[in-house]
Amino acid sequence: MHALDILGDPVRRRILELLAEGELSAGEIGDEVQREFGISQPAVSQHLRVLRESGFTTVRPEGTRRLYAIAPDPLADAAAWFDPFRRFWQPHLDALATELARGRRERRLAAERDAETDETDETHETDRPGTTEPQED
């Protein structure tokens, strides 16, 4: 089965998204997927089996639990399949990165200006008449 056939199913994609955060037990995966998709535990088990048999996940026993994790090689193969098509979206992503960097820079400069204004206000505060501390006789 081709990697994109595996990734084409929304339940399997969600399982991989969950596993991207780290290793999970079959029960933890099942609880989340059942809640989100309204499918049965046997259906979740079937999706886990497809992912395991296609090499997208690994499984290891820990006591009575089966812990699943992502196997990176099939994902790298799927990413490689997309390489000829990256030219269609990469310029847009590069432009987005530029705009995000520009926004971060503008926010940083604005924060620096605000900090300078606050410091200037504090300095001038002590120069104003009537703002000094009263002296004791």
Side-chain angles (χ1 to χ4, degrees):
M1 191 178 286
H2 190 275
L4 295 180
D5 293 330
I6 303 298
L7 298 174
D9 185 276
V11 173
R12 290 192 286 265
R13 281 196 314 270
R14 181 62 180 132
I15 291 170
L16 291 173
E17 289 169 357
L18 292 169
L19 292 174
E21 297 176 17
E23 191 175 59
L24 292 171
S25 71
E28 292 168 319
I29 295 167
D31 290 345
E32 185 71 20
V33 171
Q34 286 175 305
R35 185 180 57 76
E36 288 182 26
F37 292 91
I39 62 175
S40 66
Q41 185 276 326
V44 174
S45 294
Q46 181 66 25
H47 285 290
L48 287 170
R49 186 175 69 76
V50 169
L51 288 169
R52 187 178 62 249
E53 289 178 356
S54 64
F56 276 86
T57 61
T58 60
V59 64
R60 69 178 180 86
E62 184 180 83
T64 59
R65 300 181 338 149
R66 295 170 58 95
L67 298 175
Y68 282 81
I70 286 183
D73 291 341
L75 290 173
D77 293 342
W81 186 88
F82 283 104
D83 282 341
F85 306 100
R86 289 189 198 286
R87 66 185 170 95
F88 294 109
W89 67 77
Q90 194 61 50
H92 300 289
L93 293 175
D94 293 342
L96 175 61
T98 299
E99 289 302 315
L100 291 172
R102 184 175 291 138
R104 283 191 300 270
R105 181 176 181 271
E106 289 172 1
R107 284 190 301 278
R108 180 179 48 82
L109 291 174
E112 289 173 3
R113 282 192 303 270
D114 290 346
E116 288 174 6
T117 301
D118 290 345
E119 289 174 8
T120 303
D121 289 347
E122 289 173 7
T123 303
H124 293 301
E125 184 77 23
T126 58
D127 294 341
R128 292 187 198 146
T131 59
T132 58
E133 293 291 319
Q135 295 180 0
E136 292 189 28
D137 296 317

